[in-house]
Amino acid sequence: MGLREDYQALMEKQLNEWKAQTERFKAGAEQLQAQGKAQFDKHLETVRAAQADAWAKFDKLKSANESAWTDFKAHMDKAGAEVKAAMESMTSNLKK
């Protein structure tokens, strides 16, 4: 596989892992008290918005021509970093 295909496979795998982790968070939220649940819901909304943006960028990346692919890769890297940060924030807040 080429660099482009390897990168796309890596990003798709990561996006799917984050989606699965979000579902585990949601399942754990069922046990939270009302105040904790409201905070969790806010974080979950942030994570899902970041994931939706990352998936949209991923779809554009997959269909980009060779000359635009590098630009879309940069956007995908940024979106991935935003999802990662949102997931880390949610994880750390749930541990409190």
Side-chain angles (χ1 to χ4, degrees):
M1 264 199 263
L3 175 64
R4 180 177 175 160
E5 291 81 11
D6 289 345
Y7 180 80
Q8 286 176 205
L10 177 69
M11 288 311 301
E12 186 170 21
K13 179 182 176 188
Q14 184 63 65
L15 289 168
N16 284 320
E17 287 175 11
W18 284 328
K19 181 179 179 183
Q21 187 176 7
T22 301
E23 291 304 314
R24 289 191 300 273
F25 286 149
K26 183 180 175 189
E30 302 299 323
Q31 301 172 4
L32 295 174
Q33 299 292 337
Q35 182 181 10
K37 177 100 168 81
Q39 184 179 7
F40 170 82
D41 288 343
K42 180 181 173 186
H43 284 290
L44 184 60
E45 184 178 321
T46 301
V47 167
R48 286 194 170 151
Q51 287 176 333
D53 181 55
W55 276 108
K57 286 184 172 54
F58 181 69
D59 288 338
K60 289 180 182 179
L61 175 88
K62 289 191 321 184
S63 62
N65 63 33
E66 287 299 320
S67 62
W69 190 82
T70 304
D71 291 335
F72 281 109
K73 182 183 178 299
H75 292 295
M76 185 70 235
D77 288 341
K78 183 179 178 200
E82 290 171 0
V83 172
K84 182 179 179 182
M87 296 294 287
E88 289 172 353
S89 175
M90 183 170 216
T91 302
S92 68
N93 283 313
L94 287 175
K95 290 180 181 177
K96 291 180 181 180

